């Protein structure tokens, strides 16, 4: 006879790109009837967690309201422009300056402490950006698993020229959008990117933030951070990618490449699809799907340019555009929209759309989830990179023959977009490559393999009564 295992505590920031893979994994465990599942995130995601209840429940643990300074969705327009500017290093620097807030991280840490006191987890499963949760797990000696919705090199490559790294010397630094191997000029750019990142932390203004961080960490009894600590101390790293989507390097054994974390499909019930999106897809012959994630903020000029893209595709392809309701006021009058364009503020399931056989190409911002999910379903891509990791995914997609990238992502030139879409749609090699890598992703096991790996960890082994 054995005692019941203690809880598994999932922890994530509220951003969809970080949260969604963990929702899928927690939902898989709930369907299996695994008991004592807890999920800690910010209050606005309560309903998303509560919907996971199946053969067992998932207890929602609130970490309070979203701190706007830490949430990309709620950043000011000025900050948004800074983090999405054309200079990749300046955008990278802007993200660090905006998100490195020791005081706010400490507040989330304290709230998570209360949750941990209540549920006493045997294991934590943490999104790789939730540094406060990693700190708590290490401070309390709680075994933890890291969730990575990016390419494996994103968390295994140091941003410092002198820091430890699991990738070889000269590997492209994350957020640089550089290829591998590189030309001499690109190698210099890569080196400078790391040196400039190091210099950023030597700046007097950043020095004050570092001092504040050191003070808070001492107050909380936390050790000084190290670039690879979150990887080194993790029991396991679950990465939602496959080797075929990153440049080749030796991946540590604890890093498990599982492909996109996709729930059972169809996710949407057609009876609840009030807009009839899925029925509409059934009736088409060829559809271009445009979806740019939850962070992208288009201007009136960019919206007009994308409407013109649809107009130029009329007679050849239908266009389904997921455009948030709050941005739809930027559209021209309805009577001026081309007849092949369908605009939805919400689709019942983006995964069901990507899985649909009539969808021929995915026009995306190239975020970690969308990039991997598109290829999971064998769809070639056209990428308008938004920021940081999007450029890294875009260059790999191009090099592996599954996508093309806009020449000037900050602008939306209809001629450039139509050219890229036409080339991807007209060259069958893009689809063949996407289908081949999609098959590799499905074979990697996704949510089922991740659940099996979690449940096999020693931390969850039942102990004798």
């Amino acid at each position: 006879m054995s005692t019941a295992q203690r809880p598994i505590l999932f922890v994530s920031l509220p951003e969809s790109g970080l949260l969604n893979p963990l929702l899928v994994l927690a939902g898989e465990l709930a369907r299996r009837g695994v008991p004592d599942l807890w999920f800690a995130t910010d209050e606005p995601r309560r309903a998303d967690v509560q919907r996971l209840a199946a053969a067992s429940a998932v207890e929602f643990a609130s970490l309070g309201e979203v701190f706007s300074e830490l949430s990309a969705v709620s950043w000011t327009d000025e900050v948004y422009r800074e983090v999405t500017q054309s200079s990749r290093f300046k955008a990278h620097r802007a993200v660090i300056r905006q998100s490195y807030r020791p005081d706010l991280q400490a507040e989330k840490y304290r709230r998570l402490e209360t949750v941990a006191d209540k549920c006493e987890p045997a294991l934590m499963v943490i999104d790789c950006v939730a540094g406060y949760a990693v700190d708590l797990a290490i401070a309390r000696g709680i075994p933890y698993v890291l969730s990575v919705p990016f390419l494996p090199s994103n968390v295994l490559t140091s941003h410092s020229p002198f820091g430890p790294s699991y990738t070889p010397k000269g590997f492209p630094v994350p957020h640089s959008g550089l290829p591998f191997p590189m030309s001499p000029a690109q190698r210099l750019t890569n080196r400078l990117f790391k040196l400039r990142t190091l210099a950023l932390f030597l700046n007097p203004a950043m020095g004050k933030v570092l001092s504040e961080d050191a003070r808070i960490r001492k107050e909380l009894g936390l050790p000084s951070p190290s670039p690879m600590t979150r990887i080194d101390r993790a029991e396991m790293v679950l990465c939602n990618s496959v080797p075929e989507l990153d440049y080749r390097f030796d991946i540590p054994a604890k890093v498990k490449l599982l492909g996109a974390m996709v729930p059972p499909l169809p996710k949407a019930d057609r009876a609840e699809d009030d807009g009839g999106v899925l029925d509409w897809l059934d009736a088409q012959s060829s559809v271009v799907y445009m979806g740019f994630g939850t962070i992208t903020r288009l201007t009136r000029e960019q919206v007009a340019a994308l409407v013109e893209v649809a107009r130029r595709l009329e007679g050849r392809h239908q266009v389904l555009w997921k455009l948030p309701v709050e941005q739809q006021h930027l559209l021209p009058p309805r009577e001026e929209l081309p007849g092949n364009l369908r605009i939805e503020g919400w689709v019942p399931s983006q995964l069901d759309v990507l899985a649909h056989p009539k969808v021929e190409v995915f026009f995306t911002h190239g975020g970690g989830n969308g990039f991997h999910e598109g290829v999971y379903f064998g769809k070639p891509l056209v990428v308008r990179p938004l920021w940081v990791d999007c450029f890294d995914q875009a260059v790999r997609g191009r090099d592996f023959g599954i996508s093309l990238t806009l020449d000037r992502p900050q602008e939306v030139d209809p001629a450039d977009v139509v050219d890229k879409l036409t080339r991807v749609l007209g060259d069958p090699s893009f689809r063949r490559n996407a289908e081949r890598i999609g098959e590799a992703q499905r074979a990697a096991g996704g949510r089922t393999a991740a659940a099996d790996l979690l449940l096999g960890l020693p931390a969850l082994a039942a102990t004798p009564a």
Side-chain angles (χ1 to χ4, degrees), residues 411-431:
E411 304 170 22
V412 180
D413 177 4
D416 181 31
V417 177
V418 172
D419 171 64
K420 298 299 190 300
L421 287 170
T422 301
R423 287 165 58 187
V424 167
L425 287 162
D427 184 345
S429 68
F430 286 99
R431 176 172 284 276

Side-chain angles (χ1 to χ4, degrees), residues 383-430:
V383 185
R384 177 187 180 254
L386 177 64
W387 67 336
V388 291
D389 67 293
C390 301
F391 287 96
D392 301 331
Q393 273 104 222
V395 71
R396 285 158 176 80
R398 180 202 68 191
D399 287 353
F400 301 145
I402 59 175
S403 67
L404 291 175
T405 304
L406 299 190
D407 293 337
R408 294 181 298 279
Q410 277 63 38
E411 304 170 22
V412 180
D413 177 4
D416 181 31
V417 177
V418 172
D419 171 64
K420 298 299 190 300
L421 287 170
T422 301
R423 287 165 58 187
V424 167
L425 287 162
D427 184 345
S429 68
F430 286 99

Side-chain angles (χ1 to χ4, degrees), residues 230-434:
R230 60 178 174 170
I231 301 295
D232 297 338
R233 298 291 294 272
E235 298 291 304
M236 189 164 57
V237 178
L238 303 177
C239 182
N240 307 149
S241 190
V242 288
E244 291 85 351
L245 284 171
D246 207 348
Y247 299 124
R248 190 176 298 276
F249 66 97
D250 292 331
I251 296 174
K254 70 166 61 177
V255 179
K256 310 300 182 182
L257 300 181
L258 303 170
M261 201 69 70
V262 176
L265 297 182
K267 186 177 180 183
D269 184 345
R270 284 189 183 244
E272 299 175 0
D273 181 12
D274 295 336
V277 172
L278 299 177
D279 290 338
W280 178 83
L281 286 170
D282 290 343
Q284 310 310 317
S285 58
S286 174
V287 177
V288 173
Y289 175 54
M290 301 197 306
F292 304 109
T294 57
I295 296 174
T296 298
R297 303 178 195 178
L298 298 169
T299 66
R300 187 175 299 276
E301 292 74 21
Q302 291 166 344
V303 167
L306 291 168
V307 170
E308 178 60 23
V309 168
R311 193 184 315 280
R312 297 186 188 187
L313 294 173
E314 197 164 13
R316 294 180 288 160
H317 308 283
Q318 299 291 313
V319 178
L320 175 61
W321 183 5
K322 182 185 175 185
L323 179 65
V325 172
E326 58 269 22
Q327 296 185 41
Q328 291 190 15
H329 70 280
L330 302 173
L331 288 163
R334 181 171 296 275
E335 61 270 16
E336 297 179 15
L337 298 176
N340 67 326
L341 176 60
R342 177 165 181 150
I343 296 171
E344 296 287 342
W346 176 85
V347 294
S349 164
Q350 176 165 284
L351 295 171
D352 288 340
V353 169
L354 290 172
H356 200 283
K358 299 299 179 63
V359 173
E360 301 284 348
V361 64
F362 183 22
F363 185 18
T364 172
H365 69 300
N369 282 342
F371 176 80
H372 287 93
E373 288 165 359
V375 180
Y376 180 94
F377 293 108
K379 310 300 183 184
L381 315 172
V382 171
V383 185
R384 177 187 180 254
L386 177 64
W387 67 336
V388 291
D389 67 293
C390 301
F391 287 96
D392 301 331
Q393 273 104 222
V395 71
R396 285 158 176 80
R398 180 202 68 191
D399 287 353
F400 301 145
I402 59 175
S403 67
L404 291 175
T405 304
L406 299 190
D407 293 337
R408 294 181 298 279
Q410 277 63 38
E411 304 170 22
V412 180
D413 177 4
D416 181 31
V417 177
V418 172
D419 171 64
K420 298 299 190 300
L421 287 170
T422 301
R423 287 165 58 187
V424 167
L425 287 162
D427 184 345
S429 68
F430 286 99
R431 176 172 284 276
R432 286 198 301 268
N433 290 330

Side-chain angles (χ1 to χ4, degrees), residues 182-200:
M182 305 178 200
S183 68
Q186 289 168 334
R187 287 197 295 272
L188 177 60
T189 299
N190 195 49
R191 181 72 174 172
L192 288 174
F193 199 107
K194 289 189 173 187
L195 289 170
R196 293 175 75 185
T197 300
L198 178 63
L200 170 63

Side-chain angles (χ1 to χ4, degrees), residues 24-277:
V24 172
L25 180 52
E28 174 67 18
L29 295 178
R31 279 188 295 276
R32 297 186 184 193
V34 176
D36 297 321
L37 300 174
W38 289 63
F39 204 118
T41 188
D42 290 357
E43 181 61 33
R45 305 313 294 260
R46 176 185 290 269
D48 297 299
V49 172
Q50 291 177 335
R51 277 194 291 268
L52 299 176
S56 65
V58 181
E59 183 78 21
F60 175 74
S62 178
L63 297 181
E65 293 302 319
V66 176
F67 290 149
S68 60
E69 297 90 340
L70 300 180
S71 174
V73 175
S74 57
W75 284 344
T76 66
D77 288 341
E78 180 182 4
V79 171
Y80 177 82
R81 287 191 294 272
E82 289 178 354
V83 301
T84 60
Q85 63 183 291
S86 58
S87 167
R88 293 172 196 171
F89 175 75
K90 290 180 180 178
H92 164 75
R93 180 179 63 190
V95 170
I96 293 174
R97 286 176 171 172
Q98 178 64 24
S99 59
Y100 187 23
R101 291 293 304 271
D103 57 333
L104 300 182
Q105 295 284 347
E107 179 59 29
K108 291 296 181 185
Y109 178 96
R110 294 185 180 99
R111 294 179 186 181
L112 185 60
E113 271 191 314
T114 302
V115 175
D117 287 342
K118 185 175 182 179
C119 72
E120 297 183 344
L123 180 74
M124 295 174 66
V125 186
I126 304 170
D127 98 60
C128 64
V129 183
Y132 62 88
V134 173
D135 284 339
L136 180 70
I138 292 173
R140 295 200 169 193
I142 303 170
Y144 70 91
V145 170
L146 211 60
S147 169
V148 177
F150 311 115
L151 300 164
S153 59
N154 180 282
V155 296
L156 297 175
T157 306
S158 174
H159 280 98
S160 167
F162 310 113
S165 187
Y166 287 95
T167 53
K169 184 178 180 181
F171 198 88
V173 64
H175 307 169
S176 67
L178 289 168
F180 191 66
M182 305 178 200
S183 68
Q186 289 168 334
R187 287 197 295 272
L188 177 60
T189 299
N190 195 49
R191 181 72 174 172
L192 288 174
F193 199 107
K194 289 189 173 187
L195 289 170
R196 293 175 75 185
T197 300
L198 178 63
L200 170 63
F201 287 92
L202 300 177
N203 180 283
M206 186 59 75
K208 293 180 181 178
V209 180
L210 289 169
S211 296
E212 180 188 24
D213 190 24
R215 177 187 62 78
I216 291 173
R217 297 183 77 84
K218 182 177 180 181
E219 177 184 312
L220 294 174
L222 301 175
S224 299
S226 176
M228 288 296 158
T229 295
R230 60 178 174 170
I231 301 295
D232 297 338
R233 298 291 294 272
E235 298 291 304
M236 189 164 57
V237 178
L238 303 177
C239 182
N240 307 149
S241 190
V242 288
E244 291 85 351
L245 284 171
D246 207 348
Y247 299 124
R248 190 176 298 276
F249 66 97
D250 292 331
I251 296 174
K254 70 166 61 177
V255 179
K256 310 300 182 182
L257 300 181
L258 303 170
M261 201 69 70
V262 176
L265 297 182
K267 186 177 180 183
D269 184 345
R270 284 189 183 244
E272 299 175 0
D273 181 12
D274 295 336
V277 172

